[in-house]
């Protein structure tokens, strides 16, 4: 629901702020006063097209701010876009739009920078606007189908997904058929390359292991000589221990132990030498074992040489480092599997058939729901048309099969209308009378607005002079219908009809004032005597008579109990 609309320097509005509540709110005023300017400003806040011409003459920029209740259905979108309100303003949604004198536009949602597209996305969940030419959207098949689906409580989104899945499967099959020759040649090439690399069968970690083993075998004699020399240096060779490391450390220990009794500070050094002696014995043991296990193996060296040569030769052929051959083999296997799948015409055909069957099943269910709902929707709108001075008129919802399956289903939808009894229903766009068109649009709005008052439907309905061309008893009916809508939805109506204004829960008057060579619009809440005066003006013009005032008072008294109107206040300078 819209709570507040603030406008600054927009067309002929310098600054105003209007607070709106639940129920039916009407805006009235003389012709040319700018009643529809408020609706135009709100449309800009909801992402409508902006241009430099909307900036009040002499001003640097126009600014519109609209504050709404944030519907639960919009919460995921707000969270994903990063537009969640802070804790203090939780549950509220603030939209702001600024357009400068050069036509540059900026937008914000809950204080965060946004795009006009994002404003429009939010606006779709907030407000439903019916203008004087609302009937024009009812001549377009997508709009009619959307109305029918809502009335039938049909969700066509899964059908669109099923259609997209079938389209993709069908396109994959067609592409495979077209490229079958090329795919087969590519498959043969990959299969031959895999055959070559499979002969080598490179293991995932084999290359570094081969490289390490080759280095060890190629340098076996040097390794043996070095280990033997190290063992001799540690523990002697052939029993000669006079100058080996173990003997020298043992001699140092013996020398110190003979005098440690005279200075115990040498005890720590003795412990260090004993540790070194133990480590030398461990090293000698390890070297001895290494010499026992290591031997020259020319045959194994030749085998490793041959294996590494095969790796290097294959790597050169495919211009890859040897270490990448195993990964290349896995990649080619994946590519071959993909080609096999792409070349599987039977499998692709089966997948396309299955996707089409799933689409057909969903489409037939939706078609049945549409066929069942179409006459009910037509009857409901027809009943409302009778109340709006179109006695004998009727609306039909015509369903026609499409030439091919579409994302929206198997049929298109169109409104056919007969304005009078005995006439043949014709497409809505061919109905001549502008008044009839407005009343038909209002009838559809009344019926469809009741479809979902607590779910995803916008909580705010705006009627911008859709009552043009009607009067008398029909005008009274329009007022009652709008008031009825206001019980479940917030309704704002720009009207010139006193019968509609008398049914309002709150009433604002738009006036145009001229001063210092400039015109400006002002909006004031009216109640009590001022409201009676406005209704009287709408009845009989600027010159108020006791008769028109009495008539106005009677109209207000016979309407629903008037709720106190909230006032307006000037925006801060």
């Amino acid at each position: 629901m819209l709570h507040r609309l603030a406008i600054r320097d927009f067309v002929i509005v310098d600054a105003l702020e209007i607070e709106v509540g639940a129920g039916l709110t009407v805006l009235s005023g003389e012709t040319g006063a700018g009643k529809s300017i408020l609706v135009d400003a709100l449309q800009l806040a909801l992402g409508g097209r902006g241009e430099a011409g909307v900036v009040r003459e002499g001003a640097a920029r126009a600014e519109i701010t609209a504050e709404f209740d944030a519907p639960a259905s919009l919460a995921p979108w707000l969270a994903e876009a990063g537009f969640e309100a802070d804790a203090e303003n939780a549950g509220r949604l603030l939209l702001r739009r600024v357009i400068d004198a050069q036509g540059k536009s900026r937008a914000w949602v809950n204080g965060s920078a946004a795009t006009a597209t994002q404003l429009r996305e939010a606006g779709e969940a907030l407000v439903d606007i019916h203008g004087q030419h609302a009937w024009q959207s009812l001549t377009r098949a997508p709009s009619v189908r959307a109305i029918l689906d809502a009335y039938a409580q049909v969700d066509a989104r899964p059908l669109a997904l099923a259609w997209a899945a079938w389209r993709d499967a069908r396109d994959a099959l067609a592409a495979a058929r077209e490229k079958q020759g090329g795919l087969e040649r590519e498959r043969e090439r990959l299969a031959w390359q895999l055959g070559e690399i499979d002969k080598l069968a490179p293991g995932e970690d084999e290359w570094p292991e081969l490289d390490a083993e080759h280095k060890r075998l190629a340098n076996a004699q040097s390794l043996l000589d070095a280990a033997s020399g190290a063992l001799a240096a540690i523990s002697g060779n052939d029993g000669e221990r006079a100058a080996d490391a173990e003997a020298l450390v043992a001699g140092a220990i013996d020398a110190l132990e003979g005098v440690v009794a005279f200075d115990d500070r040498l005890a720590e050094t003795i412990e260090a030498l004993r540790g070194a002696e133990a480590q030398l014995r461990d090293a000698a043991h390890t070297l001895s074992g290494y010499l026992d296990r290591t031997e020259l193996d020319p045959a194994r060296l030749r085998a490793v040489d041959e294996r590494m040569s095969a790796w290097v030769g294959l790597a050169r052929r495919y211009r890859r480092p040897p270490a990448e051959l195993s990964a290349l083999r896995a990649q080619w296997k994946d590519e071959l599997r993909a080609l096999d799948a792409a070349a599987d015409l039977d499998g692709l055909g089966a997948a396309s058939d299955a996707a089409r069957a799933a689409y057909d099943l969903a489409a037939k269910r939706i078609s049945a729901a549409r066929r069942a709902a179409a006459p009910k929707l037509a009857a409901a709108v027809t009943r409302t048309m009778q109340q709006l001075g179109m006695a004998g008129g009727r609306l039909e919802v015509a369903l026609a099969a499409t030439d091919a399956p579409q994302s929206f289903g198997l049929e298109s939808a169109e409104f056919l209308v007969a304005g009078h009894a005995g006439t043949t229903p014709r497409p809505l766009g061919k109905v001549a009378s502008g008044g009839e068109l407005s009343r038909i649009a209002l009838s559809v709005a009344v019926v469809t607005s009741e479809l979902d008052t607590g779910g995803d439907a916008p909580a705010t309905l705006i009627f911008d002079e859709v009552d043009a061309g009607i009067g008398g008893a029909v005008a009274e009916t329009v007022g009652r219908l709008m008031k009825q809508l206001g019980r479940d939805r917030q309704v704002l109506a720009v009207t010139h009809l006193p019968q509609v204004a008398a049914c309002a829960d709150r009433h604002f008057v738009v006036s145009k004032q001229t001063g210092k060579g400039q015109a400006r619009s002002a909006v004031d809440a009216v109640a009590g005597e001022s409201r009676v005066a406005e209704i009287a003006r709408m009845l009989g013009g600027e010159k108020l008579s006791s008769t028109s005032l009495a008539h106005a008072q009677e109209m207000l008294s016979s309407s629903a109990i008037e709720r106190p109107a909230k006032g307006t206040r000037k925006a801060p300078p």
Side-chain angles (χ1 to χ4, degrees):
M1 182 174 76
L2 175 65
H3 285 278
R4 182 175 64 91
L5 179 64
I7 304 172
R8 184 189 293 273
D9 294 329
F10 180 75
V11 191
I12 60 173
V13 175
D14 53 2
L16 66 83
E17 185 173 316
I18 180 172
E19 293 183 359
V20 189
L24 172 61
T25 298
V26 298
L27 294 166
S28 66
E30 296 180 0
T31 300
K35 298 187 294 297
S36 293
I37 286 179
L38 298 180
V39 177
D40 295 339
L42 181 58
Q43 286 181 309
L44 272 180
L46 297 172
R49 183 178 178 182
E51 54 187 25
V54 303
V55 181
R56 189 171 63 89
E57 187 173 349
R61 62 182 178 272
E63 181 176 339
I64 302 98
T65 302
E67 183 181 349
F68 292 86
D69 282 328
S73 61
L74 205 56
W77 181 86
L78 291 171
E80 183 178 353
F83 294 144
E84 291 175 297
D86 54 37
E88 183 178 349
N89 297 302
R92 292 295 176 99
L93 181 59
L94 193 67
L95 306 182
R96 181 167 170 249
R97 184 86 178 272
V98 172
I99 298 174
D100 64 23
Q102 287 73 45
K104 183 179 179 180
S105 170
R106 290 181 294 165
W108 293 264
V109 175
N110 283 341
S112 297
T115 64
T117 298
Q118 288 173 319
L119 289 183
R120 284 194 295 274
E121 290 173 352
E124 290 174 358
L126 298 170
V127 177
D128 191 1
I129 298 178
H130 297 270
Q132 295 184 59
H133 304 290
W135 61 270
Q136 291 177 346
S137 68
L138 304 182
T139 65
R140 296 191 286 269
S143 298
V144 177
R145 186 175 59 252
I147 291 171
L148 177 59
D149 285 352
Y151 193 85
Q153 296 184 333
V154 162
D155 183 0
R157 287 172 294 185
L159 178 63
L161 294 176
W163 182 84
W166 169 58
R167 177 200 59 197
D168 293 344
R170 180 193 59 193
D171 291 349
L173 176 60
R177 286 173 174 163
E178 182 179 348
K179 299 177 181 178
Q180 192 64 27
L183 290 176
E184 184 58 32
R185 288 191 295 273
E186 179 66 11
R187 185 186 179 283
E188 289 176 356
R189 182 186 66 81
L190 269 178
W192 182 85
Q193 291 178 175
L194 270 173
E196 288 292 299
I197 206 169
D198 282 343
K199 292 177 184 177
L200 179 66
E204 184 175 353
D205 298 317
E206 183 182 359
W207 176 255
E209 294 172 356
L210 279 175
D211 190 42
E213 185 179 9
H214 184 270
K215 290 177 181 177
R216 186 171 61 252
L217 291 170
N219 295 281
Q221 187 60 58
S222 297
L223 291 170
L224 288 171
D225 291 345
S228 180
L231 181 59
I234 291 171
S235 57
N237 190 21
D238 296 331
E240 297 179 3
R241 293 175 52 83
D244 62 62
E246 283 189 62
L248 293 173
V249 171
I253 293 171
D254 289 343
L256 292 175
E257 283 183 335
V259 295
V260 70
F262 307 120
D263 190 346
D264 57 6
R265 289 178 296 175
L266 294 174
E268 186 175 342
T269 303
I270 294 172
E271 282 300 314
L273 289 169
R274 284 174 177 165
E277 186 180 34
Q279 290 180 345
L280 287 170
R281 284 196 296 269
D282 289 342
H285 179 74
T286 300
L287 287 170
S288 180
Y290 179 82
L291 290 169
D292 290 341
R293 293 189 302 272
T294 304
E295 60 182 12
L296 299 176
D297 191 349
R300 177 57 186 166
L301 178 59
R302 285 193 300 272
V304 172
D305 265 334
E306 292 173 0
R307 181 70 176 165
M308 291 186 72
S309 295
W311 272 75
V312 172
L314 202 59
R316 285 176 179 170
R317 180 182 302 173
Y318 296 116
R319 299 180 181 179
R320 299 292 182 93
E324 293 183 7
L325 285 182
S326 178
L328 182 62
R329 182 190 190 194
Q331 175 188 329
W332 284 347
K333 284 184 176 180
D334 290 341
E335 291 177 2
L336 186 59
R337 280 192 292 268
L339 286 174
D340 286 340
D344 182 10
L345 296 182
D346 291 339
L348 291 172
S352 178
D353 291 342
R356 175 60 190 270
Y359 168 83
D360 286 342
L361 181 62
K364 288 175 181 177
R365 288 175 179 168
I366 287 182
S367 295
R370 287 170 176 166
R371 286 193 300 270
K376 297 177 182 178
L377 172 61
V381 175
T382 297
R383 284 193 297 271
T384 306
M385 289 167 59
Q386 310 311 302
Q387 303 176 53
L388 295 177
M390 298 185 69
R394 72 184 189 277
L395 178 135
E396 293 182 2
V397 182
L399 299 176
T402 56
D403 295 334
Q406 302 293 332
S407 61
F408 54 79
L410 303 173
E411 58 279 316
S412 62
E414 183 180 25
F415 283 147
L416 305 179
V417 175
H420 309 281
T423 58
T424 301
R426 295 178 297 157
L428 180 63
K430 296 182 179 180
V431 176
S433 168
E436 287 179 339
L437 292 171
S438 293
R439 280 176 275 170
I440 292 167
L442 180 58
S443 299
V444 173
V446 168
V447 171
T448 57
S449 67
E450 298 171 347
L451 296 178
D452 185 2
T453 58
D456 294 337
T460 300
L461 290 172
I462 296 178
F463 295 98
D464 186 8
E465 296 196 26
V466 298
D467 49 16
I470 62 176
V474 174
E476 292 179 9
T477 302
V478 170
R480 289 198 304 271
L481 287 174
M482 288 188 178
K483 189 173 186 68
Q484 175 185 327
L485 289 176
R487 295 171 187 166
D488 299 312
R489 311 273 284 279
Q490 181 188 47
V491 179
L492 280 71
V494 176
T495 184
H496 67 284
L497 294 177
Q499 296 92 332
V500 173
C503 293
D505 297 299
R506 57 194 51 78
H507 189 164
F508 293 95
V509 176
V510 182
S511 59
K512 183 167 68 173
Q513 304 165 1
T514 303
K516 297 182 180 180
Q518 273 195 333
R520 59 181 292 271
S521 280
V523 179
D524 297 292
V526 292
E529 292 182 1
S530 60
R531 187 177 182 197
V532 173
E534 173 62 12
I535 298 295
R537 184 201 64 77
M538 297 174 76
L539 282 167
E542 289 299 321
K543 188 175 180 179
L544 301 182
S545 65
S546 58
T547 302
S548 62
L549 288 169
H551 189 186
Q553 183 62 62
E554 182 182 358
M555 291 178 66
L556 288 168
S557 298
S558 63
S559 67
I561 298 175
E562 180 182 355
R563 298 179 187 174
K566 294 183 179 180
T568 61
R569 60 180 183 274
K570 286 279 186 178

